[in-house]
Amino acid sequence: FDQRKAEVILESKRWGKLSLGKGFTASYGSGAVDLSKTSVISYATIADLAGSMLFRERDSGDFTDIRIFNAFNSFDGLSRQNRLRYDTANFGGFRLAASAITDDRYDAALRWGGQGYGLKAAGAAAIANPKFDDTDLQYNGSFSLLHQNTGLNATLAFGLLDRTDQGDQQNYFAKVGWLKRFFSVGDTAFSLDYTRSLNLPTDDDDGFSIAAAAAQQFDKYGAELFALYRLHSLDRDIEPKVEDISVVSIGTRVKF
């Protein structure tokens, strides 16, 4: 077993927050800003749902060694690491964060959120030095906009890993959604999204994914029901060609 989070935090409304230990780095989450309320099951890091599933060869049906997470990567920061992280206080909706991470790694992120004129918006952008072999810096960001009267919303995200041994690995995510309170128990959310990956896992691979998702909130119980269908497709200029992977998911989440 390994600890998920173990940290000590000093926090001040005026001076910000200092975190020491294992926890989220400054860049983590900057690629997943999402106001659609379907992010419980559909967000930019699509490989979180079924990332270990293997693609099959198109001709023989045999499993390859290529998994969904090899073909789709949102490059959403450096996840949970042992680090020293500092977050500034909120200045006009802006917050800046930076981390010094073990193995001489580092990252930084800028986040923003605000509302007005019937709109709610949030966004983030980050840069990180992951110290992977044959790589330079990693960049990612996301932006989400919600029209509060109609519930219509849109989300965009991108990620890029600058590689020295092949073309830069890139990921682009776009989502449109609709949020409506049909029932007194809570909001109902629907969304459609599209993901495009380039040079993953090699220069000879490009992938795309489409998905439809729905989520029903139950405010009194801190719960939600969700369902999703997602198609993963990997186009290869080398052998073996692979079949698409379809994933159907239904479930519930309870927060307490």
Side-chain angles (χ1 to χ4, degrees):
F1 293 95
D2 187 19
Q3 77 277 12
R4 181 178 175 87
K5 296 181 72 176
E7 57 185 338
V8 176
I9 296 173
L10 299 176
E11 187 169 10
S12 163
K13 289 184 178 180
R14 180 178 180 182
W15 300 109
K17 182 170 69 173
L18 187 68
S19 307
L20 175 63
K22 185 174 182 180
F24 295 134
T25 64
S27 58
Y28 184 68
S30 55
V33 176
D34 193 327
L35 300 175
S36 69
K37 289 196 175 182
T38 60
S39 58
V40 61
I41 192 65
S42 167
Y43 57 103
T45 309
I46 66 171
D48 277 355
L49 179 61
S52 289
M53 294 186 69
L54 292 162
F55 285 93
R56 288 182 181 270
E57 291 187 20
R58 188 175 300 170
D59 295 331
S60 67
D62 294 335
F63 285 117
T64 67
D65 60 355
I66 304 171
R67 301 179 185 272
I68 288 177
F69 69 71
N70 299 131
F72 297 95
N73 187 336
S74 66
F75 303 107
D76 185 18
L78 300 183
S79 189
R80 295 179 302 276
Q81 306 289 341
N82 292 308
R83 85 290 188 247
L84 176 65
R85 170 176 171 172
Y86 173 68
D87 292 68
T88 68
N90 191 315
F91 296 100
F94 288 92
R95 290 179 294 118
L96 182 65
S99 302
I101 309 165
T102 54
D103 299 323
D104 295 323
R105 294 170 292 171
Y106 59 85
D107 65 357
L110 179 66
R111 291 175 170 83
W112 173 83
Q115 57 184 354
Y117 304 100
L119 299 171
K120 184 177 182 180
I127 185 172
N129 185 355
K131 288 291 183 76
F132 298 145
D133 291 339
D134 301 314
T135 65
D136 195 357
L137 296 178
Q138 177 177 292
Y139 309 87
N140 72 284
S142 55
F143 179 79
S144 192
L145 183 67
L146 169 67
H147 187 259
Q148 293 175 299
N149 288 337
T150 64
L152 296 174
N153 56 84
T155 300
L156 298 173
F158 81 96
L160 184 149
L161 180 62
D162 186 0
R163 296 194 62 97
T164 59
D165 61 336
Q166 66 174 72
D168 294 343
Q169 295 179 335
Q170 304 168 52
N171 190 84
Y172 300 91
F173 175 84
K175 177 198 279 190
V176 292
W178 182 38
L179 189 61
K180 180 77 173 177
R181 199 175 187 90
F182 292 105
F183 314 106
S184 60
V185 296
D187 292 333
T188 305
F190 304 95
S191 68
L192 299 171
D193 69 66
Y194 174 80
T195 301
R196 181 68 167 155
S197 68
L198 302 176
N199 303 322
L200 283 160
T202 74
D203 279 345
D204 297 304
D205 296 289
D206 292 328
F208 77 88
S209 174
I210 55 173
Q216 175 62 55
Q217 312 288 320
F218 293 89
D219 297 338
K220 182 178 179 180
Y221 304 103
E224 53 197 317
L225 297 175
F226 56 81
L228 171 133
Y229 167 78
R230 181 174 296 284
L231 173 71
H232 309 78
S233 183
L234 183 61
D235 296 327
R236 314 201 75 211
D237 290 335
I238 56 175
E239 296 295 334
K241 309 296 185 182
V242 296
E243 297 179 353
D244 296 342
I245 297 178
S246 293
V247 173
V248 176
S249 178
I250 58 174
T252 184
R253 177 173 69 175
V254 181
K255 293 183 177 180
F256 55 92

